[in-house]
Structure formats: C-alpha cells, structure tokens
C-alpha cells in the first residue's frame, strides 16, 4: 500500500472536474502540464486562463520532499513559522552528508559519527512536526521518492533541484528553495509564474547502446543550460511510451540542467508496471480510473505545434550514445572519432581514471542491471578494466534487490567500490584526494547529472563527462575517453581482440523488489512533547535571526564582485566539505562566492576592498563592509545561479550584507530564493551595461522608494574618477514579492501573519 493513499485519492476525486473546467475556460485541448497545473490551483476550480510566462499563480502542492543538506535551513525556518505540524505530507531524506571513500559500511559508520548532531536534529524536528524521516543509508531522495511517493497527476515541490525526477511517474515536481517549502509546510499557497511549455516528441525506439540518458543529453545540446528556463518540458510520442518509468525519470531528472521548471511524461503502461512492482497497486488502480486526465488531450500530441511554445522532435532510432562535458552538461559529443577529435583539439585527457555509476539520475535497478551486463563481459572475455569503478545504488530497496540477484557482485569482482546508498561523488562528497586543489589533470566518466569544475572531487583539473551507466561501464573498461563500443575492439589478457556486446538488462527485477529495512521512520501522531535541541556554540547548527529589511534607500553601496562567465550555485555556495555547515548560516557564509571568477583579474576569491585598497577573499572583504555598515552589490553574467536549488546561495550574501544582485539573466530557482530572502534580484535592461561596471564603483539607487510591479529601477553608478553612468534595471517582482522585500523576507511576513 502506498504512503498517503487518501491524499492521492483526494487529488483524483477532483481532477476530472478541474480539468474539464480548465479546458472550457482556456477554450482548447490541454497538455498534461496544463491539466496538472490547473488541477492544483490554490483557490480550487479554475476561473481564468493564465498567460504562460507572465502570470504569477498560487498553487497547492500535494507534498514536499527535503534532503538533509537543504532540510536543515528549511526546517530552521519552519520552526519560526509558529506552526505545530506541517500542513501537507513532507519527508526528509539523509543522503547528502555521507562521504564516499572506503565503501558503504565504513562510510556510513563515519557519517553517522561526524554528522550525528545534524541527523539527530533532523530526526527530532521531523518527529515533532509530523514529517516522515528516511535514515542515512536509506537512499537518494529522488529514487526513494520515485519508489514511494510519486504519483501520476500529482504536484510536488522539493528543496533540491532534481526533485524534477518524479516527472518520470507523471508528476509536476519542482525544485525550490527552503523558504518556498516553508510556505507550503505552513499551510500557505505556493507561487509560481505560469510556465511556458516545450514539447519533445520522441519517435522511433531506443536500442543497442542508446539509453534514456542519451535523450536528455541530446536535449541539453539543443536547448543549452538555459534554454528551458521558465518552461515545463513535456515528452510524448511512441518513443516515450516505449520507455521504462525509471528511464523517464532519468530524462526528467536532468531537465534541471537545461533550467527547466520541470519535465514530465503522460501516464502509460510503464508507469503502471512500476507502481505495481513497488507495491502501490492501490495507486495504479486509482490512476487507471482517471487516466484520461493523466496525459494530454489527443489533439495536443497529434498537432503539438498548436499547443506548445516550442516543439523538438528526436528520432530515437537515429540517436547514438553521447558524452557530455567537460565542465558543462550541455556540451555533447558522439562517442568515438568525434570525441577523439574534440579531445585532441581541447587537450582533454584521453585516459579515463574512474567510471562512476549511480546518483539520483541513474541508480535504478534497470540502470545497475544494464551496466552490470557490460561489467560481466569484462569478466567473461578476460578483459582487465583500465579505470576504477564506483557504484552508488539509489535506495536500500534497489541495493538489497540488486545484491540478491547477483548484480552488485559482478562489479565487486572487478574491484569496484560499492558506496553507500547516497549522493556521494555526484555532489562532491568524494574523498578522492588529500589535496584536491593541487590534484592532477585527469578525466572521469559518470552517469550523474552535473559536471561543473570541482563538482565531483574538488579538483579543478578533473574533466568530468556525463554518459549513460552502460556507456560509463564500457569506457571504464576500455580506459579511454574516445572508445566507441559500437566499433572498437579491445585486447584481452590473452592478447585476443574482443568486442563488447550490446547491453542487456531488466526494466524491473524478475523476482520482484525486496528489502529488509528500507530506513523509514514515521513521525509520532502528536509530537508536541518532542524537544528539539540546538546546542549553544555548535559549529553545525545555528538558530536563525530574522533579517532586517534592506529599506527603500540604498546609497553609497560598494561593488563586492563582478562575476565573469558561468556563476552557478556551486560557485556562490560550494558543496563538498562545506556541506557540514549547511545548518549554520554564519559558518557557511565563509564560502560565499569563493568560486566566482572576478571579472577584473580572472581570479577566484580575490576581490578589491574599497575601504583599504587591498585585495582579499570575498567573504572577508564583505564582512569588512558589513562591519562598516556599508551595503554591497554583486554583478553577474547570464543564467546567474544555475544549478542547485540551495537557498544558501541567497541567504549567505543576505546574511553578510549584500543588498542587490544585478545580472544579465537569472536561473529561475535562484531568482526566487533571492526574492524570498528580501533581497533585490535585478537584471540589466541593456545587458551591455554589464561592461560599464568598474572595480571601484559605488551604487546609488535613485527611485527605490517607488519600487513597484512592471516598473524599472534606476541606479547611478559612480566610478573612481568621479564620472557616472545611469543604468536602467528590470525586475520580475509582483506586489506580493515586493511585500517580502519590505518585510525583510518572506518568512518575516509569514511570522507576522501567524502572530
């Protein structure tokens, strides 16, 4: 039986009426995305048609999922909201704070030792406020959600950008910052700009070495890392229905890498099979009753150009295996000669040192079984693997079943390290080097989602390439980045030429899933007696102090940094070893923007202090400005804040005294996070004005007292020589979001309303 089955049946009991009403109001057939959105309006039945990409809309999500790194700050904020229990089903998953080093047992033991304070805090807060808690080792949040909570036609938000993984089971699942989750946990509406819609028609059928991962790698090539911003990507066509549910999840998962609000697929037989195999027959039965509302109207998929803002068509029969990277997930290259040529031209190391399989993107039973079929061939054909293997199963249920069926043992025979059911190397929790900053130049291949510099191991010289699990296994065996398993032969231990056969595997375990302890702890029905303790002087946890409003007069603000090029949330608030401070705002603020490249000297963590004329680390200089009572401004390039949903990338600058972030364009989640924390998130009306900003600039906001929706703001930029530039700035604040700014943060407003 599924978790929260009554809630799911409640959603299905109203979906037909709401979808029919929406179709009547919109006046045309509806996409799946529109059906789910209109079925989850905060005010119930639809009363108007919303304009895509323009109208802000209040929604009522069905549930919330939080991972341990982001849950700390989310729950610290919720504790201030004045509520005794969460208003919607919520879960916390401990998967980020487990470092991969020696192997599953030793690594989990170490994590439970060094992070016990945090795990106990999360468990006690969950118990107190009615939140389901998944223990360390239970699995990676998005795989666990897919196995237990995702359901077709539902709406979920999660404090992790890869919450979108649940689109593989027909949800609209969206990554948000913790403050957004707090709104919903507190029983309030969740606001989102009504997304634009991108349709991806999949024709043909996957075969051979081509996998679902290659579909999203191709889409990333087409749309780039910002091409999906503000849009939901909806997949359809015969190629979509022929694909497994977990394969669909992989595609939706990496939709975060194109900036998409989320991605989704219509309900079909593969989803029903997955629901029944994961012991949710009751959900499958309920979904079948309303299945006409769990996919788009037939007219939409027959004539997609009439109903989507953009349509892409991919013939899966013509799609080959791809490698994306390094340093960005949208740089796509076909295997073999194309990679050999590109690697030589760019001086990418051809030798591959590690092949890593798993993460929330590709850690299903199907993924592990297909990759193990390649690993088994290395054993059968007497091949010596040239690279090391690392495996992160997605959940304890997947791990237990894969071990029962002999899948993990195949990797172990190749001396692979089976890491904990956790994120591990995917998020920088990989103890690969003792001194990562000075580690050598090298290449790795993984089935993860992101491959920014230093993302996996902290080494800026690691060139990480993204591939399917089966291709990752093949390249790890060959040990070469330019290996093409479709054509290239390998020399085995006997000196014989052999080729790898096409991968095989199982969509679902033939003997069914099995697990002894899935790692779940249900909260008490009444947690009012539970005491949540945050020790005074703790370096890991810190109770929050409400932010003071920035105000309607900003003059004499100094430039903190003008960031050059890509500036992701990893650059603004690094993960890896810094994850241990995710519950302590002042401590983690010491990594603020240390990865951003200073446009004036092309260095990281080295900016000019205008008070002294000397150079120092970004957080150090910023603390000097804060001590002097001086507000600051951060300037950035396109797609600023790309990547993770981590709201720390907004809270840290806010805590240190940054008043405004002015960029060419924002990634969606980060822009919202800045707004939620009571900061100014602004864009250049003329993006070329970015070039006007100089190192010693001072900023005066001329009309902030007139801050209003759809109204530009004007700043005076005073240069060191006394010359000035007047610059116009755009913003996307609506009236409610301006109230967040005036209150100092959205949380301040919630507390006031609940007082």
């Amino acid at each position: 039986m599924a978790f929260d089955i009554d809630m799911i049946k409640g959603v299905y009991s109203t979906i037909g009426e709401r979808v029919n009403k929406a179709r009547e109001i919109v006046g045309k057939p509806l996409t799946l995305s529109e059906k789910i959105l209109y079925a989850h309006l905060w005010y119930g039945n639809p009363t108007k048609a919303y304009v895509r990409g323009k109208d802000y809309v209040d929604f009522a999500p069905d549930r919330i999922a939080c991972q341990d790194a982001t849950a700390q700050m989310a729950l610290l904020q919720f504790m201030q909201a004045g509520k005794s229990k969460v208003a919607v089903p919520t879960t916390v998953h401990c998967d980020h704070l487990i470092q991969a080093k020696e192997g599953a047992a030793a690594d989990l033991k170490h994590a439970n030792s060094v992070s016990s304070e945090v795990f106990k805090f999360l468990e006690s807060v969950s118990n107190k406020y009615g939140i389901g808690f998944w223990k360390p080792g239970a699995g990676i949040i998005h795989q666990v959600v897919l196995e237990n909570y995702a359901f077709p036609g539902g709406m979920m938000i999660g404090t992790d950008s890869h919450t979108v993984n649940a689109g593989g089971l027909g949800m609209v699942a969206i990554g948000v910052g913790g403050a957004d989750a707090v709104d919903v946990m507190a029983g309030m509406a969740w606001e989102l700009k009504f997304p634009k819609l991108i349709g991806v028609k999949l024709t043909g059928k996957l075969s051979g070495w081509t996998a679902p991962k290659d579909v999203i790698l191709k889409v990333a090539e087409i749309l780039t890392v910002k091409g999906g911003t503000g849009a939901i990507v909806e997949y359809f066509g015969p190629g979509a229905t022929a694909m497994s549910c977990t394969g669909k999840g992989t595609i939706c998962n990496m939709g975060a890498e194109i900036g998409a609000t989320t991605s989704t697929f219509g309900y079909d037989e593969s989803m029903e099979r997955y629901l029944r195999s994961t012991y949710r027959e009751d959900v499958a039965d309920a979904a079948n009753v309303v299945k006409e509302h769990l996919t788009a109207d037939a007219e939409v998929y027959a004539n997609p150009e009439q109903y989507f803002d953009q349509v892409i068509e991919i013939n899966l029969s013509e799609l080959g295996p791809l490698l994306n990277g390094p340093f960005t997930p949208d740089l796509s290259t076909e295997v073999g000669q194309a990679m050999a040529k590109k690697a030589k031209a760019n001086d990418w190391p051809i030798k591959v040192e590690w092949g890593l399989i798993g993460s929330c993107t590709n850690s299903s039973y199907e993924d592990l079984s297909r990759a193990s079929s390649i690993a088994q061939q290395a054993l059968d054909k007497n091949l010596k693997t040239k690279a090391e293997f690392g495996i992160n199963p997605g959940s304890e249920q997947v791990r237990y079943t894969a071990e029962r069926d002999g899948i993990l043992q195949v990797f172990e025979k190749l001396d692979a390290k089976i890491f904990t059911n956790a994120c591990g190397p995917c998020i920088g929790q990989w103890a690969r080097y003792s001194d990562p900053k000075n580690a050598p130049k090298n290449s790795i291949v993984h089935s993860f989602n992101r491959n920014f510099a230093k993302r996996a191991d902290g080494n800026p010289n690691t060139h990480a390439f993204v591939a399917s699990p089966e291709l990752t296994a093949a390249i790890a065996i060959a040990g070469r980045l330019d290996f093409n398993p479709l054509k290239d032969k390998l020399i085995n231990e006997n000196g014989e030429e052999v080729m790898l056969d096409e991968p095989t595997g199982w969509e679902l375990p033939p003997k069914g899933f099995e697990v002894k302890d899935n790692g779940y702890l249900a909260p008490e029905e009444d947690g009012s007696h539970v005491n949540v303790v945050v020790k005074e002087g703790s370096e890991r946890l810190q109770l929050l102090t409400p932010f003071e409003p920035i105000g309607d007069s900003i003059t004499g603000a100094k430039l903190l940094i003008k960031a050059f090029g890509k500036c992701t949330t990893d650059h603004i608030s690094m993960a890896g070893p810094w994850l241990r401070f995710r519950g302590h705002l002042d401590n983690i603020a010491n990594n603020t923007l240390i990865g951003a490249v200073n446009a004036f000297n092309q260095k990281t963590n080295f900016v000019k202090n205008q008070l002294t004329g000397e150079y120092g680390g970004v957080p150090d200089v910023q603390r000097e400005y804060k001590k002097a009572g001086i507000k600051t401004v951060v300037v950035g390039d396109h797609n600023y804040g790309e990547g993770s949903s981590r709201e720390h990338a907004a809270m840290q600058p806010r805590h240190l005294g940054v008043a405004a972030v002015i960029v060419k364009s924002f990634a969606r989640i980060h822009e919202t996070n800045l707004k939620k924390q009571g900061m100014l998130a602004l864009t250049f009306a003329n993006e070329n004005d970015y070039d006007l900003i100089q190192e010693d600039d001072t900023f005066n906001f001329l009309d902030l007292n007139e801050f209003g929706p759809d109204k530009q703001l004007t700043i005076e930029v005073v240069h060191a020589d006394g010359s000035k530039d007047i610059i116009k700035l755009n913003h996307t604040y609506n009236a409610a979001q301006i109230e967040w700014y005036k209150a100092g943060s959205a949380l301040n407003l919630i507390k006031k309303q609940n007082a």
Side-chain angles (χ1 to χ4, degrees):
M1 178 175 169
F3 287 92
D4 311 307
I5 186 62
D6 291 337
M7 176 271 285
I8 295 171
K9 289 180 177 178
V11 173
Y12 289 164
S13 70
T14 61
I15 195 169
E17 178 186 357
R18 294 185 178 188
V19 166
N20 289 334
K21 187 65 176 176
R23 192 184 294 111
E24 175 187 324
I25 290 171
V26 174
K28 60 181 181 180
L30 298 176
T31 63
L32 168 64
S33 305
E34 290 171 308
K35 288 182 179 182
I36 298 175
L37 292 170
Y38 277 108
H40 285 84
L41 297 176
W42 176 252
Y43 298 106
N45 282 344
T47 57
K48 63 170 287 189
Y50 293 105
V51 180
R52 299 176 191 169
K54 182 176 180 181
D55 288 342
Y56 281 95
V57 184
D58 286 340
F59 291 102
D62 301 312
R63 68 173 313 111
I64 295 168
C66 308
Q67 41 93 335
D68 51 351
T70 54
Q72 295 171 66
M73 199 57 69
L75 295 181
L76 285 165
Q77 291 177 86
F78 180 73
M79 289 168 64
Q80 294 189 43
K83 297 291 184 177
S84 61
K85 198 169 187 177
V86 291
V88 302
T90 303
T91 52
V92 167
H93 304 256
C94 295
D95 61 355
H96 275 56
L97 298 178
I98 305 169
Q99 190 178 52
K101 185 178 182 180
E102 297 178 32
D107 293 345
L108 182 58
K109 182 179 179 180
H110 179 71
N112 278 320
S113 174
V114 300
S115 293
S116 60
E117 180 186 4
V118 173
F119 293 146
K120 288 177 181 177
F121 167 76
L122 294 174
E123 183 179 341
S124 63
V125 176
S126 298
N127 205 17
K128 184 175 183 65
Y129 294 107
I131 298 169
F133 181 75
W134 290 80
K135 297 183 294 185
I140 305 172
I141 175 173
H142 309 303
Q143 180 67 29
V144 173
V145 165
L146 198 70
E147 292 177 8
N148 295 277
Y149 298 112
F151 67 98
M155 174 182 274
M156 177 176 71
I157 60 173
T159 61
D160 188 284
S161 56
H162 294 104
T163 299
V164 294
N165 188 82
L169 205 36
M171 292 194 90
V172 162
I174 301 173
V176 299
D180 275 4
V182 170
D183 284 354
V184 179
M185 284 191 265
M188 300 174 66
W190 173 62
E191 182 187 70
L192 177 73
K193 185 181 287 185
F194 204 87
K196 293 184 177 181
L197 301 177
I198 298 174
V200 180
K201 183 177 182 180
L202 302 179
T203 61
K205 190 175 182 180
L206 293 172
S207 63
W209 283 92
T210 311
K213 186 63 163 267
D214 297 303
V215 177
I216 186 57
L217 295 181
K218 185 65 177 179
V219 170
E221 174 192 343
I222 295 168
L223 289 177
T224 76
V225 291
K226 60 181 180 179
T229 303
I232 292 179
V233 182
E234 186 171 324
Y235 292 84
F236 62 95
T241 54
M243 198 179 295
S244 70
C245 178
T246 52
K248 293 178 173 72
T250 291
I251 292 171
C252 292
N253 182 292
M254 267 196 73
E257 274 50 75
I258 58 172
T261 301
T262 191
S263 305
T264 195
F265 287 76
Y267 179 61
D268 60 19
E269 292 180 0
S270 72
M271 295 185 191
E272 180 179 356
R273 289 194 299 271
Y274 188 73
L275 286 169
R276 296 190 186 281
S277 74
T278 50
Y279 308 105
R280 290 176 286 172
E281 295 89 350
D282 42 2
V283 178
D285 292 341
N288 285 341
V289 174
V290 295
K291 62 182 179 181
E292 66 179 293
H293 306 304
L294 305 180
T295 190
D297 292 333
E299 298 93 329
V300 171
Y301 293 161
N303 299 287
E305 289 80 6
Q306 297 179 25
Y307 303 100
F308 292 99
D309 298 292
Q310 181 180 355
V311 177
I312 297 168
E313 185 169 337
I314 298 175
N315 185 341
L316 302 184
S317 300
E318 298 175 356
L319 183 66
L322 299 171
L323 276 166
N324 281 29
F327 306 131
T328 185
D330 58 352
L331 180 58
S332 187
T333 307
E334 293 182 2
V335 296
Q337 290 185 348
M339 175 55 75
K341 183 177 179 181
K342 194 178 288 188
K344 183 177 180 180
N346 292 281
D347 195 27
W348 299 338
I350 287 292
K351 181 184 177 183
V352 173
E353 296 193 359
W354 273 86
L356 297 154
I357 295 168
S359 90
C360 63
T361 321
N362 281 104
S363 56
S364 67
Y365 184 90
E366 179 181 35
D367 290 325
L368 294 182
S369 70
R370 286 179 62 84
S372 74
S373 76
I374 303 303
Q376 182 64 53
Q377 291 184 54
L379 297 170
D380 295 341
K381 298 184 179 187
N382 203 22
L383 288 166
K384 184 177 181 180
T385 57
K386 301 296 176 58
E388 295 186 73
F389 265 122
I391 313 293
N392 282 87
S395 70
E396 177 57 16
Q397 180 167 267
V398 165
R399 188 210 65 79
Y400 188 93
T401 306
E403 184 177 61
R404 179 202 68 190
D405 295 346
I407 289 173
L408 295 185
Q409 291 87 325
V410 173
F411 290 111
E412 289 175 327
K413 289 176 183 176
L414 294 176
D415 295 324
K417 283 192 177 180
I418 310 298
F419 294 125
T420 315
N421 313 320
C423 302
C426 182
I427 59 160
Q429 285 284 60
W430 186 20
R432 184 183 179 192
Y433 298 110
S434 58
D435 182 13
K437 291 182 181 179
N438 296 304
K441 185 175 180 179
N442 73 105
S443 288
I444 65 173
V445 177
H446 61 56
S447 68
F448 307 160
N449 40 48
R450 294 197 175 126
N451 57 351
F452 305 141
K454 300 190 280 189
R455 171 81 180 185
D457 58 13
N459 178 6
N461 299 310
T462 292
H463 293 54
F465 296 83
V466 183
S468 68
E470 44 268 61
L471 183 61
T472 297
I475 290 177
I477 291 166
R480 291 185 58 83
L481 193 62
D482 57 354
F483 177 67
N484 181 357
L486 287 80
K487 298 180 179 179
D488 296 346
K489 295 179 180 179
L490 297 171
I491 307 298
N492 70 7
E493 291 294 276
N494 300 327
E496 302 163 333
E497 288 189 339
V498 297
M499 285 189 69
L500 295 175
D501 301 321
E502 294 177 354
T504 59
W506 294 273
E507 175 186 353
L508 297 163
K511 295 188 288 186
F513 281 109
E514 188 177 349
V515 66
K516 282 189 176 180
D517 177 10
N518 64 5
Y520 175 71
L521 295 178
E524 293 190 30
E525 188 64 32
D526 180 6
S528 58
H529 68 283
V530 176
N531 187 28
V532 178
V533 178
V534 174
K535 293 186 298 183
E536 189 174 344
S538 169
E539 69 166 14
R540 299 292 298 271
L541 297 166
Q542 179 188 48
L543 294 175
L544 296 176
T545 301
F547 291 132
E548 292 292 329
I550 291 172
D552 62 2
S553 176
I554 300 176
T555 58
K558 299 297 184 182
L559 176 70
L560 174 60
I561 186 172
K562 178 180 177 180
F564 174 81
K566 187 186 283 284
C567 190
T568 72
T569 50
D570 280 78
H571 296 91
I572 305 167
S573 174
M574 289 184 178
W578 289 95
L579 282 172
R580 64 195 309 269
F581 297 125
R582 283 285 180 87
H584 197 296
L585 183 56
D586 193 56
N587 281 347
I588 198 168
N590 289 322
N591 80 359
T592 304
L593 286 157
I594 63 174
V597 176
N598 183 352
F600 300 108
N601 56 26
Q602 300 299 303
K603 295 181 179 180
T604 58
N605 202 29
F606 199 66
V607 296
K608 187 173 184 178
N609 182 337
Q610 293 189 45
L611 300 179
T612 65
E614 298 177 352
Y615 286 81
V618 181
D620 301 320
V621 171
Q622 177 56 38
R623 287 186 186 275
E624 289 296 315
Y625 288 136
K626 182 178 182 179
K627 186 178 179 181
I630 296 173
K631 295 181 174 67
T632 58
V633 172
V634 170
V635 173
D637 213 317
H638 276 300
N639 208 31
Y640 183 89
E642 169 194 345
S644 168
S645 69
R646 68 191 68 155
E647 64 185 337
H648 298 76
M651 293 185 78
Q652 292 170 215
R654 177 73 163 102
H655 171 70
L656 292 178
V658 176
V661 179
I662 305 171
V663 300
K664 294 180 181 178
S665 65
F666 283 106
R668 174 190 64 85
I669 300 176
H670 186 64
E671 181 181 20
T672 300
N673 286 344
L674 291 168
K675 292 179 180 181
K676 285 280 185 176
Q677 301 305 331
M679 295 178 71
L680 291 171
L682 309 169
T683 56
F684 292 104
N686 176 3
E687 66 178 49
N688 292 328
D689 286 345
Y690 168 92
D691 298 325
L692 298 177
I693 306 303
Q694 299 176 23
E695 192 170 27
D696 293 291
D697 282 349
T698 300
F699 299 81
N700 299 314
F701 286 72
L702 303 181
D703 49 8
L704 189 55
N705 60 324
E706 301 172 12
F707 190 18
D710 301 316
K711 184 180 185 300
Q712 285 184 328
L713 290 175
T714 309
I715 58 170
E716 176 186 66
V717 183
V718 183
H719 306 302
D721 62 2
S723 63
K724 301 176 181 179
D725 282 301
I726 302 297
I727 293 176
K728 292 289 186 181
L729 303 173
N730 294 332
H731 67 83
T732 60
Y733 288 77
N734 59 26
Q737 293 168 346
I738 290 173
E739 291 304 310
W740 300 343
Y741 175 78
K742 290 179 178 178
S745 71
L747 181 59
N748 286 356
L749 206 57
I750 292 175
K751 290 175 64 178
K752 183 178 179 181
Q753 293 167 347
N754 289 329

